[in-house]
Amino acid sequence: MADLTADLGFIKLKNPVIPASGTFGYGGEFLQFFDLDLLGAFVMKGVYTDERGGNEPPRIWETPSGLLNSIGLAGPGAEGLTKIIKDVASKTSTPIIVNVCGGTDEEYLEVARILDVMKEVAMLELNISCPNVRAGGSCPAQSSSDTRRVVKLVKENTEKPLIVKLSPNVSDISSIARSAEEAGADAISVVNTFLGLALDIEKRKPVFKNFFAGLSGPAIKPLALKIVWEVANAVSIPVIGIGGIMTGRDVLEFILAGAAAVQTGTVNIVEPTGSVRIISETLELMDELKINNLEEIRGGLKI
Ligand code: SIN
């Protein structure tokens, strides 16, 4: 049987499948469906220092092969999350990643510091790419200099491995990824959602109060694969691929494009046991294609 372990350098995961932030609650919600120990890791929904109610409804909208969301990073705040983390960590040994948000550099640092001292947290994912909280979808990941500054600040003041989640809504993602790497990022996760617009023809208005929203799901898979390939060729730290992964075949495509592991998103919303199915499918396909381990094909695209 194939070896499914995924090597991120600073940690080896039992498999490459990691449910993504915002699609998996805080993990505990999924215990009614499966044992969290089956996952490679999972990412908890992003938090700020304080509790946030998020954006006004509607917050999600189905599109052909996709999902638009405008949640607005609702959450219990970092201190509130620490209790949830302790509870969930007592029910699983799977590494927990927490998605760290901030309205300012200081807030990113404060949230990261609160989580940094928790032994239950394996890694931090710096969310500098949410399209739903600032005007026009702007975020630090849209500029190399903002990315470099925030990543450096958090990295220099925390001990946990730092994954930096980047935005696809930029013209040159490779240079932004390089800035994150130079500032000390241990891994890059790509991509957050693509900015999209849903319209209500009867009301002649945008569906979302925030105007734009973030598109995920199979509709973005080819776009995400392209970015994973570009970023994996631009940096030497591990890349975690995200974007419309629904099957084991999708996982292997992202690994072939250069990802060391993947995050599953929309699938967790439409099929709560989807990530576990994807893990089994990946193993089955590796056996069928006689792939012994993920490193054998990682970034091995023949061109
Ligand atoms: C949201 O909460 O609006 C989505 C989070 C994100 O895209 O980072």
Side-chain angles (χ1 to χ4, degrees):
M1 197 161 33
D3 172 5
L4 250 193
T5 54
D7 195 356
L8 293 181
F10 47 89
I11 193 169
K12 210 170 207 178
L13 305 179
K14 64 173 87 72
N15 67 64
V17 177
I18 308 171
S21 169
T23 66
F24 202 65
Y26 301 101
E29 297 88 335
F30 283 73
L31 280 166
Q32 61 184 304
F33 301 113
F34 59 84
D35 183 351
L36 298 180
D37 285 352
L38 294 171
L39 300 167
F42 61 93
V43 191
M44 290 190 173
K45 172 76 177 163
V47 275
Y48 288 95
T49 44
D50 298 322
E51 191 176 342
R52 292 247 181 159
N55 293 342
E56 271 185 61
R59 291 181 171 190
I60 54 171
W61 191 259
E62 270 190 67
T63 67
S65 299
L67 190 70
L68 278 163
N69 91 79
S70 180
I71 309 298
L73 291 170
E79 292 293 355
L81 184 61
T82 58
K83 294 185 198 73
I84 299 173
I85 294 171
K86 283 188 182 141
D87 179 50
V88 176
S90 70
K91 295 172 182 146
T92 181
S93 57
T94 288
I96 294 175
I97 306 172
V98 183
N99 186 273
V100 173
C101 305
T104 59
D105 292 8
E106 292 68 34
E107 188 174 18
Y108 277 113
L109 182 56
E110 198 183 335
V111 173
R113 276 185 165 150
I114 291 169
L115 300 167
D116 197 46
V117 295
M118 293 192 74
K119 63 175 186 339
E120 296 85 355
V121 175
M123 298 163 252
L124 301 176
E125 180 178 65
L126 198 62
N127 186 352
I128 54 171
S129 51
C130 176
N132 300 327
V133 285
R134 297 185 209 202
S138 83
C139 58
Q142 273 169 332
S143 117
S144 279
S145 58
D146 289 351
T147 297
R148 187 186 300 275
R149 195 191 61 248
V150 182
V151 173
K152 190 167 185 296
L153 179 71
V154 174
K155 185 62 194 172
E156 283 179 353
N157 291 284
T158 52
E159 301 288 331
K160 306 271 189 216
L162 188 66
I163 302 165
V164 178
K165 187 168 184 177
L166 294 183
S167 168
N169 305 305
V170 296
S171 51
D172 183 5
I173 195 152
S174 297
S175 62
I176 294 170
R178 272 194 296 269
S179 298
E181 179 179 37
E182 285 160 14
D186 296 291
I188 303 282
S189 50
V190 272
V191 289
N192 206 320
T193 52
F194 285 78
L195 276 177
L197 177 60
L199 298 180
D200 182 330
I201 190 69
E202 277 79 22
K203 294 186 185 145
R204 302 196 185 183
K205 281 187 165 178
V207 165
F208 293 102
K209 301 281 183 307
N210 220 22
F211 206 76
F212 298 142
L215 182 65
S216 62
I220 70 163
K221 195 191 103 182
L223 306 170
L225 259 181
K226 168 186 174 279
I227 290 177
V228 165
W229 184 80
E230 284 173 338
V231 171
N233 282 288
V235 298
S236 46
I237 51 178
V239 173
I240 301 172
I242 320 168
I245 292 168
M246 303 296 278
T247 65
R249 184 169 285 270
D250 293 338
V251 174
L252 293 186
E253 286 179 25
F254 274 82
I255 304 287
L256 187 62
V262 298
Q263 290 184 16
T264 49
T266 306
V267 70
N268 301 310
I269 295 168
V270 296
E271 181 194 350
T273 52
S275 287
V276 173
R277 170 183 57 73
I278 289 171
I279 294 166
S280 314
E281 285 179 7
T282 306
L283 189 58
E284 276 163 29
L285 188 57
M286 285 172 75
D287 283 339
E288 189 186 318
L289 300 177
K290 302 199 179 357
I291 299 167
N292 295 308
N293 56 66
L294 296 174
E295 289 304 312
E296 209 177 286
I297 60 158
R298 173 173 162 193
L301 196 55
K302 294 181 187 165
I303 46 171

